Amino acid sequence: QQQVRQSSQSLTVWEGETAILNCSYENSAFDYFPWYQQFPGEGPALLIAIRSVSDKKEDGRFTIFFNKREKNLSLHIKDSQPGDSATYFCGTGANTGKLTFGHGTILRVHP
Amino acid sequence: ETAVFQTPNYHVTQVGNEVSFNCKQTLGHDTMYWYKQDSKKLLKIMFSYNNKQLIVNETVPRRFSPQSSDKAHLNLRIKSVEPEDSAVYLCASSYRQGAETLYFGSGTRLTVL
Protein backbone atom coordinates (compact mmCIF):
# COMPACT_ATOMS: atom_id res chain seq x y z
CA GLN A 1 0.00 0.00 0.00
CA GLN A 2 1.53 3.26 -1.14
CA GLN A 3 0.82 5.80 1.59
CA VAL A 4 2.41 8.71 -0.23
CA ARG A 5 1.85 9.27 -3.93
CA GLN A 6 3.63 11.68 -6.20
CA SER A 7 1.55 12.22 -9.29
CA SER A 8 4.39 12.65 -11.77
CA GLN A 9 7.41 10.43 -12.21
CA SER A 10 9.08 13.23 -14.15
CA LEU A 11 8.49 16.85 -15.05
CA THR A 12 10.23 19.08 -17.56
CA VAL A 13 10.02 22.87 -17.52
CA TRP A 14 11.90 25.73 -19.15
CA GLU A 15 14.18 28.01 -17.20
CA GLY A 16 12.14 30.80 -15.60
CA GLU A 17 8.89 28.82 -15.44
CA THR A 18 7.19 27.65 -12.25
CA ALA A 19 7.52 23.93 -11.66
CA ILE A 20 4.65 22.33 -9.74
CA LEU A 21 5.15 18.95 -8.09
CA ASN A 22 2.13 17.23 -6.57
CA CYS A 23 1.79 14.80 -3.71
CA SER A 24 -1.08 13.07 -1.94
CA TYR A 25 -1.26 10.92 1.19
CA GLU A 26 -3.67 8.55 2.87
CA ASN A 27 -3.11 8.64 6.60
CA SER A 28 -4.84 11.54 8.38
CA ALA A 29 -2.51 11.06 11.35
CA PHE A 30 0.39 12.54 9.41
CA ASP A 31 1.13 16.07 10.51
CA TYR A 32 4.53 16.83 9.05
CA PHE A 33 5.29 17.06 5.34
CA PRO A 34 8.83 17.65 4.13
CA TRP A 35 10.15 17.85 0.62
CA TYR A 36 13.64 16.48 0.06
CA GLN A 37 15.86 17.25 -2.92
CA GLN A 38 18.32 14.71 -4.26
CA PHE A 39 21.05 15.30 -6.84
CA PRO A 40 22.69 12.36 -8.65
CA GLY A 41 25.31 10.65 -6.52
CA GLU A 42 24.18 12.39 -3.35
CA GLY A 43 21.78 11.64 -0.55
CA PRO A 44 18.48 13.51 -0.22
CA ALA A 45 18.55 16.81 1.65
CA LEU A 46 15.68 18.65 3.30
CA LEU A 47 14.47 21.48 1.09
CA ILE A 48 11.35 22.78 2.85
CA ALA A 49 8.69 21.38 5.17
CA ILE A 50 5.20 22.23 6.40
CA ARG A 51 3.04 21.18 9.32
CA SER A 52 -0.63 20.33 8.94
CA VAL A 53 -1.73 23.40 10.92
CA SER A 54 -0.56 25.59 8.02
CA ASP A 55 -1.76 25.77 4.44
CA LYS A 56 1.26 27.51 2.98
CA LYS A 57 4.98 27.65 3.63
CA GLU A 58 7.36 29.79 1.63
CA ASP A 59 11.15 29.83 1.52
CA GLY A 60 12.64 31.92 -1.25
CA ARG A 61 11.61 30.44 -4.60
CA PHE A 62 10.09 27.35 -2.97
CA THR A 63 6.50 27.23 -1.69
CA ILE A 64 4.43 24.39 -0.30
CA PHE A 65 0.65 24.59 -0.64
CA PHE A 66 -1.14 22.20 1.68
CA ASN A 67 -4.78 21.05 1.61
CA LYS A 68 -5.60 19.03 4.71
CA ARG A 69 -9.18 18.27 3.68
CA GLU A 70 -8.11 16.85 0.32
CA LYS A 71 -4.95 15.25 1.77
CA ASN A 72 -2.70 16.69 -0.85
CA LEU A 73 0.10 19.17 -1.15
CA SER A 74 2.22 20.67 -3.86
CA LEU A 75 5.69 22.13 -4.15
CA HIS A 76 5.99 25.19 -6.36
CA ILE A 77 9.41 26.19 -7.61
CA LYS A 78 9.23 29.72 -8.95
CA ASP A 79 11.66 30.95 -11.60
CA SER A 80 13.09 27.46 -12.10
CA GLN A 81 16.82 27.26 -12.75
CA PRO A 82 18.84 24.47 -14.42
CA GLY A 83 20.48 23.94 -11.02
CA ASP A 84 17.06 22.91 -9.66
CA SER A 85 17.19 19.79 -11.84
CA ALA A 86 17.03 16.97 -9.31
CA THR A 87 14.69 14.37 -7.86
CA TYR A 88 12.17 15.68 -5.35
CA PHE A 89 10.68 13.47 -2.68
CA CYS A 90 7.49 14.22 -0.82
CA GLY A 91 7.54 12.85 2.70
CA THR A 92 5.04 12.37 5.49
CA GLY A 93 5.56 11.88 9.19
CA ALA A 94 3.95 11.89 12.59
CA ASN A 95 5.58 12.42 15.96
CA THR A 96 7.29 9.04 15.77
CA GLY A 97 9.97 10.61 13.65
CA LYS A 98 9.54 7.91 11.03
CA LEU A 99 9.27 9.41 7.57
CA THR A 100 7.52 7.75 4.64
CA PHE A 101 8.48 8.93 1.17
CA GLY A 102 6.87 8.94 -2.23
CA HIS A 103 8.62 7.56 -5.32
CA GLY A 104 10.04 10.92 -6.20
CA THR A 105 9.59 13.27 -9.16
CA ILE A 106 12.52 13.87 -11.48
CA LEU A 107 12.57 17.55 -12.42
CA ARG A 108 14.45 18.71 -15.48
CA VAL A 109 14.84 22.42 -16.09
CA HIS A 110 15.92 23.26 -19.63
CA PRO A 111 17.94 26.44 -20.15
CA GLU B 1 29.02 20.16 4.00
CA THR B 2 28.98 16.38 4.44
CA ALA B 3 28.51 15.25 8.01
CA VAL B 4 27.25 11.71 7.41
CA PHE B 5 29.97 9.59 5.90
CA GLN B 6 29.40 6.26 4.21
CA THR B 7 31.90 3.71 2.95
CA PRO B 8 32.29 2.27 0.43
CA ASN B 9 30.69 4.37 -2.31
CA TYR B 10 30.21 1.34 -4.53
CA HIS B 11 30.37 -2.40 -4.08
CA VAL B 12 29.98 -5.15 -6.66
CA THR B 13 29.65 -8.70 -5.46
CA GLN B 14 28.20 -12.04 -6.36
CA VAL B 15 25.11 -13.81 -5.10
CA GLY B 16 25.73 -15.53 -1.79
CA ASN B 17 28.57 -13.33 -0.60
CA GLU B 18 28.57 -11.28 2.61
CA VAL B 19 28.98 -7.51 2.52
CA SER B 20 29.30 -4.79 5.14
CA PHE B 21 28.70 -1.09 4.86
CA ASN B 22 29.85 1.57 7.29
CA CYS B 23 28.32 4.85 8.37
CA LYS B 24 29.59 7.56 10.68
CA GLN B 25 27.99 10.87 11.60
CA THR B 26 29.82 13.84 13.09
CA LEU B 27 26.73 15.85 13.99
CA GLY B 28 26.43 14.60 17.55
CA HIS B 29 22.99 13.18 16.77
CA ASP B 30 21.36 10.48 18.88
CA THR B 31 19.48 8.62 16.15
CA MET B 32 20.67 6.91 12.98
CA TYR B 33 18.88 5.11 10.17
CA TRP B 34 19.36 2.85 7.20
CA TYR B 35 17.20 3.47 4.15
CA LYS B 36 17.12 1.43 0.96
CA GLN B 37 16.65 3.23 -2.35
CA ASP B 38 15.70 0.87 -5.14
CA SER B 39 16.17 1.24 -8.89
CA LYS B 40 12.93 3.24 -9.11
CA LYS B 41 14.28 5.63 -6.46
CA LEU B 42 11.77 4.57 -3.81
CA LEU B 43 13.14 5.28 -0.33
CA LYS B 44 12.19 2.79 2.35
CA ILE B 45 13.32 2.76 5.96
CA MET B 46 14.99 -0.44 7.10
CA PHE B 47 16.25 0.24 10.61
CA SER B 48 16.67 3.04 13.09
CA TYR B 49 18.87 3.16 16.17
CA ASN B 50 18.69 5.54 19.09
CA ASN B 51 21.80 5.72 21.24
CA LYS B 52 22.94 2.29 20.08
CA GLN B 53 19.52 0.71 20.65
CA LEU B 54 17.38 -0.66 17.85
CA ILE B 55 14.13 1.31 17.66
CA VAL B 56 12.64 0.50 14.28
CA ASN B 57 13.08 -2.73 12.42
CA GLU B 58 10.93 -2.79 9.33
CA THR B 59 10.13 -6.00 7.59
CA VAL B 60 13.44 -6.81 6.00
CA PRO B 61 14.93 -10.25 5.33
CA ARG B 62 16.86 -11.74 8.21
CA ARG B 63 20.08 -11.68 6.19
CA PHE B 64 20.22 -7.93 6.96
CA SER B 65 21.65 -7.04 10.35
CA PRO B 66 22.53 -3.56 11.62
CA GLN B 67 25.31 -3.01 14.13
CA SER B 68 26.02 0.03 16.26
CA SER B 69 29.12 0.44 18.43
CA ASP B 70 28.23 3.94 19.59
CA LYS B 71 25.71 6.58 18.66
CA ALA B 72 27.96 7.99 15.94
CA HIS B 73 28.36 4.72 14.04
CA LEU B 74 25.85 2.44 12.38
CA ASN B 75 26.92 -0.39 10.11
CA LEU B 76 24.90 -2.74 7.96
CA ARG B 77 25.82 -6.32 7.24
CA ILE B 78 24.15 -8.45 4.59
CA LYS B 79 24.79 -12.17 4.79
CA SER B 80 24.40 -14.08 1.55
CA VAL B 81 23.29 -11.30 -0.77
CA GLU B 82 20.53 -11.81 -3.32
CA PRO B 83 20.02 -10.05 -6.69
CA GLU B 84 17.11 -8.04 -5.25
CA ASP B 85 19.51 -6.51 -2.74
CA SER B 86 20.99 -4.41 -5.54
CA ALA B 87 20.17 -0.85 -4.50
CA VAL B 88 21.59 2.26 -2.94
CA TYR B 89 21.79 2.03 0.84
CA LEU B 90 21.48 5.40 2.50
CA CYS B 91 22.50 6.13 6.05
CA ALA B 92 20.88 9.08 7.85
CA SER B 93 20.88 10.69 11.25
CA SER B 94 18.57 12.96 13.21
CA TYR B 95 19.08 15.09 16.30
CA ARG B 96 17.01 12.76 18.46
CA GLN B 97 14.35 10.09 18.18
CA GLY B 98 11.21 11.76 16.90
CA ALA B 99 13.12 14.66 15.38
CA GLU B 100 11.95 15.08 11.86
CA THR B 101 14.87 16.38 9.85
CA LEU B 102 17.04 13.64 8.43
CA TYR B 103 20.62 14.20 7.33
CA PHE B 104 21.59 11.66 4.69
CA GLY B 105 24.94 10.37 3.57
CA SER B 106 25.69 9.99 -0.12
CA GLY B 107 24.92 6.28 -0.08
CA THR B 108 26.55 2.96 -0.94
CA ARG B 109 25.54 1.52 -4.30
CA LEU B 110 25.43 -2.28 -4.14
CA THR B 111 25.35 -4.35 -7.30
CA VAL B 112 24.78 -8.07 -6.95
CA LEU B 113 25.73 -10.11 -10.00
Side-chain angles (χ1 to χ4, degrees), chain B residues 2-21:
Chain B
T2 305
V4 180
F5 303 92
Q6 291 188 240
T7 56
N9 293 328
Y10 303 92
H11 191 83
V12 181
T13 190
Q14 296 195 328
V15 171
N17 285 350
E18 177 175 314
V19 298
S20 285
F21 306 143

Side-chain angles (χ1 to χ4, degrees), chain A:
Chain A
Q1 183 187 6
Q2 184 63 31
Q3 293 200 48
V4 183
R5 283 194 174 84
Q6 293 185 239
S7 58
S8 302
Q9 189 174 2
S10 65
L11 175 68
T12 301
V13 299
W14 293 101
E15 183 175 359
E17 291 184 334
T18 297
I20 301 174
L21 290 73
N22 297 305
C23 177
S24 62
Y25 64 97
E26 295 182 3
N27 191 337
S28 301
F30 294 140
D31 62 359
Y32 173 71
F33 302 88
W35 283 89
Y36 278 73
Q37 179 189 56
Q38 184 179 29
F39 295 105
E42 297 181 13
L46 179 65
L47 181 66
I48 186 172
I50 193 168
R51 294 200 175 278
S52 59
V53 293
S54 301
D55 56 15
K56 181 181 175 182
K57 176 76 176 289
E58 193 169 350
D59 184 357
R61 296 186 295 110
F62 303 94
T63 303
I64 299 175
F65 293 92
F66 179 71
N67 186 324
K68 187 171 183 176
R69 188 169 57 87
E70 300 291 330
K71 292 193 219 170
N72 59 45
L73 61 155
S74 59
L75 173 68
H76 291 226
I77 305 175
K78 216 169 26 175
D79 188 24
S80 296
Q81 302 297 309
D84 296 330
S85 297
T87 301
Y88 292 81
F89 292 93
C90 173
T92 59
N95 58 8
T96 61
K98 177 183 162 185
L99 290 180
T100 301
F101 292 98
H103 276 83
T105 296
I106 300 171
L107 174 67
R108 297 184 184 90
V109 182
H110 286 311

